[in-house]
Amino acid sequence: MHSTVTFCLGFLASLAQGALLNRRAALEDCLSGSSTAVDQVGSDDYNRDITPFNRRLPFKPAAIAVPTTVEQIKSAMACGSKLGYKVTAKCGGHSYASLGLGGEDGHLILELDRMDSVKLDKETNIATVDAGTRLGHLATELFEQGNRAISHGTCPGVGISGHVLHGGFGMSSHTHGLALDWVIGMNVLLANGTLVHASETENKEVYWGLLGAGSNFGIVTSYELKTFEAPANVTWFVVSLPWKKNNTVAGLEALEDYARNTQPAELNMRLYATRQFTQLEGSYHGNRTDLEAALEPLLNKIGGKLAAAQTVSWIKGLEHFATMKLNQTYPYTQVQEEFFGKSLELKGLNGTAAKGFSDYWFDVAKNETAHWYIQLDIHGGKNSAVWKADSKLTSYVHRDKLYILQFYITTSDAPEDGIKFVNDWSSATTTPLAASDWGMYFNYPDTSLNRTRAQEMYWGQNLGRLQQLKGELDPTELFYYPVSLSPAQKAELA
């Protein structure tokens, strides 16, 4: 009997393996017939395209298609849909959770980074940008073509699509808003294969959903971006903070009052700390004299000292915060890290929440020898362009938050310990807070969340409306990933 059971199980396993191979072969045949290039396993392109930013999370796709036209994207997407594969568009591959590789094995990946055209209309100052463009290339082209810019993040290798479709905070956001605030139109391929244009006046609900939760509804093929004139100069700076356990809560509360009520629009700033040091760092849109005047009321209260500052050109300011050459295009070599990251979006950090955060910082984190950092970005405030933008225009739900707090720890030795370290610090911060006072930022995805909790954290009060839209546009979840939106069921849609 035992040998019979073993034979049956082995036979079934062989059938399953055979079916998988047949399905893979069918996918390869379909892609070859679509005129879309495919990375050959083991080739230089395949090895580059499969390399995750977070070394902790490698995934093996069913195939990597490399389209260079909208029609090829459409054809490759149709192959995945017909054969039952989940389809994932990858632009920069910088996701903390390797979501560009599907966040799990077995997806059909559409590698878009060969599509990186940037064309600026010098009469309207509107740029048309391919969906595979990296932020450093976008910044370089806008500046060189017409001294223009948008606000965006600091890492040049990050792709525009993942960044802009879920927020897009950076070192100009206090002055000029989020990256998604500069999107006035998009061309997007929906799950049913139709190409539509979405804007404030055309397919308005699709436009709303894409700008905040865009990876769930389709594959954007290009963006239309309004732009601003790049400033003549910016001043990057570092302020050293002599904070200890006995003065950190007071320092955080002084920082919050300044960020909420005083910080000028020109000043973009974050608190950054490691085990070894604590500092403020940022970029002021203007000269050093004006920067010093802007910082003076804050530094008088928190005891900080301006340790370094330099006034430079717009491009040199971007290069200062970049971790590599600014103008990044194909072929792109991924710089890898091995880590766990987590974010909180907070209405404030004061009182018992600040004390819980500070106590953990000095009692626990200061004794942790693995490399870690915290980054408290000033996201809102009465002078912040993030707060001034129309909150109803996009599905980015955390516009009312003052801060984006990021936790990061390397995990090469003991991943479980690092994950617990960060989660405990986060819990020490949020336990006193009302649910409405905090959420999480999708662009720093948390791999310890289950799908239900992730949706609540990333999309908050917009979740129901987004799930309705998911049910209408992608009911079979062609664009599924482990923390993607769950589509509303048909009964809910009626």
Side-chain angles (χ1 to χ4, degrees):
M1 174 66 91
H2 180 269
S3 60
T4 303
V5 171
T6 303
F7 171 79
C8 290
L9 290 175
F11 180 67
L12 290 173
S14 296
L15 285 176
Q17 182 67 21
L20 178 61
L21 292 173
N22 288 339
R23 188 161 162 256
R24 290 272 176 89
L27 178 61
E28 292 173 4
D29 288 345
C30 185
L31 290 172
S32 65
S34 72
S35 75
T36 306
V38 176
D39 281 348
Q40 296 303 307
V41 176
S43 67
D44 288 346
D45 278 339
Y46 182 87
N47 291 335
R48 266 193 299 266
D49 292 340
I50 201 176
T51 301
F53 171 57
N54 190 346
R55 193 182 294 109
R56 185 172 64 86
L57 299 168
F59 297 112
K60 184 177 181 179
I64 301 177
V66 188
T68 55
T69 67
V70 174
E71 193 57 41
Q72 288 177 2
I73 297 174
K74 183 176 180 178
S75 297
M77 193 176 82
C79 288
S81 178
K82 179 175 69 173
L83 294 167
Y85 284 96
K86 300 304 180 185
V87 176
T88 298
K90 176 174 173 280
C91 173
H94 205 264
S95 168
Y96 288 12
S98 299
L99 296 181
L101 292 171
E104 61 182 7
D105 293 335
H107 284 220
L108 170 59
I109 306 303
L110 306 190
E111 175 61 76
L112 301 182
D113 75 343
R114 280 64 153 180
M115 298 177 67
D116 64 353
S117 169
V118 178
K119 295 179 180 178
L120 179 69
D121 185 320
K122 295 182 181 179
E123 293 186 5
T124 63
N125 288 319
I126 292 172
T128 301
V129 181
D130 279 353
T133 305
R134 298 180 188 273
L135 297 182
H137 183 59
L138 172 64
T140 300
E141 288 296 318
L142 290 180
F143 185 77
E144 290 183 352
Q145 291 183 36
N147 194 42
R148 307 298 292 183
I150 69 163
S151 58
H152 54 73
T154 58
C155 298
V158 167
I160 185 175
S161 290
H163 187 66
V164 78
L165 292 176
H166 304 100
F169 184 85
M171 275 296 176
S172 291
S173 290
H174 200 260
T175 310
H176 290 293
L178 301 169
L180 60 73
D181 293 327
W182 293 89
V183 180
I184 59 173
M186 291 165 281
N187 289 314
V188 56
L189 276 166
L190 302 177
N192 64 8
T194 59
L195 180 68
V196 302
H197 186 261
S199 69
E200 288 185 51
T201 59
E202 191 177 3
N203 294 300
K204 292 167 62 174
E205 190 72 359
V206 177
Y207 176 79
W208 174 85
L210 287 172
L211 295 179
S215 55
N216 292 278
F217 303 115
I219 297 178
V220 175
T221 63
S222 65
Y223 302 87
E224 295 114 53
L225 308 176
K226 58 185 179 179
T227 61
F228 61 83
E229 183 177 4
N233 52 61
V234 296
T235 303
W236 63 259
F237 66 92
V238 175
V239 170
S240 60
L241 293 179
W243 284 4
K244 307 295 182 185
K245 184 178 179 181
N246 64 357
N247 67 359
T248 291
V249 171
L252 288 170
E253 291 179 342
L255 176 64
E256 179 172 332
D257 178 68
Y258 177 81
R260 190 179 299 278
N261 300 304
T262 306
Q263 182 175 335
E266 295 82 7
L267 180 58
N268 299 270
M269 186 167 65
R270 65 191 179 202
L271 172 74
Y272 183 85
T274 70
R275 184 169 178 255
Q276 292 80 20
F277 63 86
T278 305
Q279 64 189 35
L280 296 173
E281 58 188 27
S283 178
Y284 182 82
H285 287 215
N287 60 42
R288 177 169 179 155
T289 300
D290 291 341
L291 166 68
E292 291 175 349
L295 287 173
E296 184 178 13
L298 174 63
L299 301 191
N300 287 341
K301 289 185 178 180
I302 65 175
K305 179 181 178 182
L306 188 63
Q310 185 177 0
T311 301
V312 296
S313 69
W314 170 251
I315 289 293
K316 290 295 183 183
L318 296 178
E319 290 174 347
H320 173 77
F321 289 101
T323 56
M324 58 186 73
K325 183 183 76 170
L326 188 63
N327 191 9
Q328 293 292 329
T329 58
Y330 168 79
Y332 175 78
T333 301
Q334 186 70 265
V335 177
Q336 290 189 283
E337 302 173 22
E338 189 166 341
F339 65 97
F340 175 70
K342 190 182 188 81
S343 71
L344 297 174
E345 295 222 42
L346 301 166
K347 286 187 176 178
L349 186 55
N350 56 67
T352 54
K355 187 176 188 308
F357 174 77
S358 175
D359 286 351
Y360 195 95
W361 182 353
F362 288 91
D363 294 342
V364 181
K366 286 288 188 178
N367 297 312
E368 174 55 64
T369 56
H371 173 63
W372 60 264
Y373 69 77
I374 51 172
Q375 185 172 293
L376 186 70
D377 282 296
I378 299 175
H379 171 265
K382 76 174 189 180
N383 296 320
S384 171
V386 176
W387 274 17
K388 290 180 178 180
D390 184 355
S391 63
K392 296 179 181 178
L393 189 60
T394 73
S395 57
Y396 177 74
V397 75
H398 295 306
R399 202 175 286 277
D400 61 336
K401 306 304 190 295
L402 184 66
Y403 295 129
I404 301 177
L405 171 60
Q406 180 183 179
F407 303 92
Y408 173 108
I409 188 169
T410 56
T411 58
S412 54
D413 295 329
E416 298 80 7
D417 292 345
I419 292 169
K420 184 178 186 301
F421 168 82
V422 165
N423 282 335
D424 286 351
W425 199 346
S426 172
S427 295
T429 307
T430 59
T431 296
L433 299 177
S436 60
D437 288 342
W438 66 284
M440 294 183 180
Y441 182 43
F442 184 92
N443 281 353
Y444 303 147
D446 179 350
T447 57
S448 69
L449 296 179
N450 63 39
R451 189 182 186 189
T452 299
R453 186 59 172 163
Q455 291 178 79
E456 294 168 352
M457 290 292 97
Y458 297 141
W459 295 298
Q461 65 184 14
N462 287 337
L463 180 57
R465 183 177 169 188
L466 286 166
Q467 289 176 334
Q468 292 284 119
L469 187 61
K470 178 73 169 178
E472 295 167 8
L473 299 181
D474 186 22
T476 62
E477 299 190 81
L478 179 64
F479 306 116
Y480 168 88
Y481 51 92
V483 292
S484 59
L485 285 166
S486 304
Q489 299 304 308
K490 289 184 178 180
E492 296 172 298
L493 295 172

